Amino acid sequence: MIRNQLSVFIENRNGQLCEITGILADKGINLEALNIAETVDYGVLRLIVSDEDSAIAALKENDYVISVNPVNMVKVPNVPGGLFSVLKKITAANIGIEYMYSIFGELNGSAQMIMRVADPDLLEKVVSQ
Amino acid sequence: MGNYYQKEIECASREEIRRIQNEKFLKQFKHAWENVPYYRKKVEDSGVSFDDIKSIDDICKLPFLSKDDLRDAYPYGLLGTDLKNCVRIQSTSGTTGKRVVAFYTKDDVDLWEDCCARAIVAAGGTNEDVCQVCYGYGLFTGGPGLHGGSHKVGCLTLPMSSGNTDRQLQFMTDLNATILCCTPSYAAYLAESIEERGLRDKIKLKAGIFGAEAWSEEMRADIEKRLGIKAYDIYGLTEISGPGVSFGCSEQKGMHINEDHFYAEIINPKTGEVLPMGSEGELVFTSLDKEAFPLIRYRTKDICELSDEKCSCGRSFVRMAKPRGRSDDMLIIKGVNVFPSQIETVLIEQGYPANYQIIVDRVNHTDTIDVNVEMSNDNFSDNLGKINEMEKSLVSALKAMLGIHANVHLVAPRTIERSEGKAVRVIDKRKI
């Protein structure tokens, strides 16, 4: 499944994540996945949320810089070698993954990963084969 | 050659200009002495009497006025005429929160607009041109000044004011604007937007009149190339009238000061001593015939030099170089002179917003400079690697401009403090 991921620019300081999650909580927005990539000074918070439009509006209202990008939500069998079997297909199709992270909870015995690639449609086709 | 609005004065002999300046100055001094008690007291306190001033050569005996005087005398203390004779105020952003307000009579507005008209004509403007004014309208002098000048020249004037880039581009293309008046950074932004939207073929611009902020020759070349225009400078300050105190000609070798209205001196900013022609120092202006706001020897804090070499455009007005920056803004870091405007130029060139803060400190006896820059939507990406690359390229561009290494920190939007006008750009933590 292709989903829109929200990336938020965050400074490395105490309370920053608390503030963002507070803003989303106030609007009754659920977090489905979360990942942070960080440097010394700042980080990029990546989110998959239940209601993208309200989340974007609420964060923009609070002056956050946001980027919205399509990402693939890929089902991974929750067994040893599960991720390997998925990555084999992706590698065989010569698709590079910029970054990936796992999603909260599990679905019918499967784990799920979020993957960022240049061509989400292609990846979707490859993993569903 | 040949593009003059008021040829007789613009190309007058140096002797004639000096004669006019002398005559107007003596009248102006008398006017300020008689009608501005604040100024008279200032002169008397400096030990100078009315009779000491016999010609414009005596101007060096008079005390300077500065922004502090304008703040002390706010709002009416430097007014030279009854309020009933005034028709306009304009105002500058103050760094301390207290604004500076300048007053204009009808004649003051008229001479100011003449000055702007001279700038537009020097840029090739005629009554067949469509002049798009995207300086801010309102208290800021940029919009009203160029607007008035454009009317005088007879251009079709597009009173756009600043911002709303989509609308700017729509009018620019639909109405075939030929002259663009705005800040150089906005011109660069418009150029970028034109490229993005693929509108380059629909742009009929031939000239741009850019001012109100420091900009480099590199930026001029870049804007000229991208917009396919010739870019002209304009300089001014609200206290003296507004844009048009001086303006660039086709030669692009400095800006001609409208010397029939404004008398320029270059002084040593530390001692106040007048420096000879060609020396670099602080620019000081005297308004020679303004009625409502007759400022004499106003310190601009702009650092530049003057040249009285004959210009091949035919004008005889003295030229001033682009100011390098304001004297009170200059930092000395590791023995190198650094102007915040240089850092700003780099930030703009690299696509960052002009919201930044410079922090200077001394760690283990060595000066350090840190530049905080706000992240913007345009520069942000979900890819940390891309952000890192941009940061690195900013660091090397700053190194190239300043000659010293500056640490760069990307910070969240709106975390750098805003004020009513100009933000506090520099924090110097050094204890020396």
Side-chain angles (χ1 to χ4, degrees):
Chain A
M1 199 199 325
I2 298 176
R3 291 286 300 270
N4 273 335
Q5 169 191 265
L6 272 55
S7 302
V8 189
F9 179 81
I10 51 171
E11 282 183 46
N12 274 0
R13 63 174 167 82
N14 290 351
Q16 177 93 80
L17 271 175
C18 182
E19 188 182 308
I20 294 173
T21 49
I23 291 166
L24 299 176
D26 280 350
K27 300 280 174 190
I29 295 161
N30 194 37
L31 298 177
E32 296 177 25
L34 179 153
N35 165 264
I36 296 173
E38 86 283 358
T39 69
V40 178
D41 287 328
Y42 58 87
V44 178
L45 168 67
R46 302 168 182 138
L47 299 168
I48 305 287
V49 295
S50 57
D51 181 349
E52 290 150 20
D53 293 341
S54 341
I56 293 168
L59 290 170
K60 280 198 172 158
E61 209 171 283
N62 286 278
D63 294 319
Y64 281 98
V65 168
I66 304 167
S67 157
V68 182
N69 312 92
V71 290
N72 297 81
M73 200 180 256
V74 180
K75 206 182 279 185
V76 178
N78 193 5
V79 292
L83 182 59
F84 176 59
S85 66
V86 174
L87 291 178
K88 256 198 308 193
K89 283 188 199 173
I90 296 172
T91 308
N94 204 21
I95 297 172
I97 300 169
E98 284 181 32
Y99 56 80
M100 58 188 265
Y101 53 98
S102 59
I103 199 162
F104 300 152
E106 66 170 46
L107 188 77
N108 307 328
S110 294
Q112 288 202 86
M113 300 294 294
I114 299 296
M115 298 186 186
R116 171 78 154 116
V117 297
D119 185 347
D121 292 321
L122 177 63
L123 178 68
E124 203 59 20
K125 224 184 284 170
V126 168
V127 294
S128 61
Q129 272 166 10
Chain B
M1 292 286 267
N3 294 331
Y4 314 110
Y5 179 66
Q6 289 164 323
K7 186 176 179 189
E8 201 174 315
I9 184 66
E10 290 178 58
C11 302
S13 68
R14 289 304 306 164
E15 295 71 36
E16 174 66 2
I17 291 168
R18 189 71 183 177
R19 189 193 63 73
I20 291 170
Q21 287 188 323
N22 186 55
E23 190 178 292
K24 285 189 175 179
F25 166 71
L26 290 174
K27 212 174 135 198
Q28 184 73 321
F29 178 63
K30 185 165 185 281
H31 170 54
W33 178 272
E34 286 171 356
N35 298 302
V36 186
Y38 180 98
Y39 183 67
R40 180 177 182 152
K41 182 170 184 302
K42 182 134 190 156
V43 175
E44 283 174 338
D45 287 351
S46 75
V48 176
S49 72
F50 183 79
D51 295 328
D52 290 337
I53 307 302
K54 295 187 176 67
S55 84
I56 198 161
D57 295 331
D58 297 322
I59 197 169
C60 59
K61 296 175 184 164
L62 292 169
F64 295 107
L65 288 170
S66 71
K67 209 158 204 161
D68 290 338
D69 290 297
L70 271 66
R71 293 207 180 97
D72 290 348
Y74 176 90
Y76 298 125
L78 287 162
L79 194 59
T81 184
D82 277 352
L83 267 186
K84 68 178 180 196
N85 298 323
C86 296
V87 296
R88 176 90 67 83
I89 70 146
Q90 302 286 165
S91 173
T92 70
S93 48
T95 42
T96 59
K98 203 168 180 184
R99 286 190 161 262
V100 165
V101 177
F103 297 83
Y104 302 73
T105 64
K106 266 185 192 164
D107 286 347
D108 292 341
V109 172
D110 194 52
L111 78 84
W112 173 27
E113 291 179 351
D114 275 343
C115 291
C116 290
R118 289 177 191 171
I120 293 170
V121 173
T126 69
N127 59 6
E128 289 178 9
D129 280 297
V130 177
C131 183
Q132 181 160 356
V133 183
C134 0
Y135 285 112
Y137 278 62
L139 288 172
F140 176 52
T141 51
L146 269 307
H147 179 95
S150 174
H151 270 211
K152 287 216 170 203
V153 177
C155 302
L156 175 62
T157 309
L158 310 184
M160 303 298 299
S161 198
S162 52
N164 200 339
T165 302
D166 283 323
R167 192 176 60 189
Q168 299 281 4
L169 295 179
Q170 193 195 339
F171 277 82
M172 187 182 286
T173 50
D174 289 355
L175 297 169
N176 296 327
T178 52
I179 298 176
L180 175 66
C181 305
C182 62
T183 58
S185 56
Y186 194 59
Y189 181 70
L190 283 174
E192 200 178 292
S193 309
I194 287 165
E195 281 158 21
E196 270 170 19
R197 293 165 173 76
L199 294 172
R200 186 64 169 71
D201 294 342
K202 294 188 174 152
I203 301 297
K204 302 282 188 297
L205 291 176
K206 63 175 186 185
I209 300 175
F210 306 133
E213 63 188 15
W215 57 309
S216 58
E217 286 303 325
E218 291 72 29
M219 197 165 174
R220 187 210 300 277
D222 184 53
I223 294 170
E224 287 189 332
K225 189 168 138 233
R226 290 163 74 186
L227 286 175
I229 61 169
K230 188 150 178 160
Y232 295 81
D233 287 274
I234 191 162
Y235 170 89
L237 57 170
T238 309
E239 297 90 321
I240 295 301
S241 70
V245 169
S246 68
F247 62 97
C249 65
S250 53
E251 302 307 302
Q252 297 182 327
K253 285 177 189 154
M255 296 173 272
H256 290 282
I257 294 168
N258 279 309
E259 288 186 284
D260 52 333
H261 299 303
F262 313 111
Y263 179 75
E265 299 167 271
I266 291 285
I267 62 161
N268 177 328
K270 290 203 181 83
T271 63
E273 174 205 359
V274 179
L275 300 175
M277 186 61 70
S279 319
E280 186 180 82
E282 182 180 343
L283 186 59
V284 172
F285 274 115
T286 294
S287 70
L288 291 170
D289 46 11
K290 278 187 68 187
E291 298 164 336
F293 218 54
L295 296 190
I296 292 170
R297 303 199 92 196
Y298 181 71
R299 292 182 67 150
T300 64
K301 299 201 167 160
D302 283 329
I303 300 286
C304 71
E305 71 249 6
L306 301 180
S307 163
D308 60 358
E309 256 175 61
K310 182 85 183 158
C311 182
S312 35
C313 77
R315 284 177 189 80
S316 37
F317 288 154
V318 155
R319 280 168 292 160
M320 57 179 272
K322 257 181 203 291
R324 284 210 303 136
R326 304 239 139 149
S327 59
D328 53 353
D329 288 347
M330 193 182 81
L331 295 160
I332 300 176
I333 299 164
K334 294 179 187 167
V336 177
N337 293 353
V338 172
F339 285 98
S341 60
Q342 294 176 300
I343 292 171
E344 184 168 319
T345 303
V346 173
L347 291 176
I348 291 164
E349 279 171 356
Q350 296 274 318
Y352 288 91
N355 296 319
Y356 62 93
Q357 201 156 45
I358 299 162
I359 296 151
V360 185
D361 206 344
R362 184 162 285 181
V363 181
N364 299 330
H365 306 295
T366 304
D367 292 340
T368 58
I369 174 164
D370 289 74
V371 181
N372 291 342
V373 196
E374 286 187 0
M375 180 50 100
S376 69
N377 274 305
D378 289 344
N379 291 342
F380 185 56
S381 148
D382 64 322
N383 185 326
L384 203 60
K386 277 185 196 154
I387 302 176
N388 261 319
E389 283 302 310
M390 287 195 62
E391 204 178 0
K392 274 187 202 150
S393 112
L394 180 56
V395 169
S396 40
L398 283 170
K399 168 97 202 220
M401 170 69 95
L402 308 175
I404 54 173
H405 174 82
N407 302 310
V408 168
H409 307 279
L410 296 171
V411 299
R414 306 201 73 78
T415 50
I416 293 173
E417 205 184 336
R418 305 292 201 277
S419 67
E420 281 275 299
K422 288 173 188 165
V424 179
R425 294 296 189 204
V426 180
I427 298 170
D428 197 336
K429 294 179 173 170
R430 288 178 292 188
K431 289 186 186 77
I432 299 166

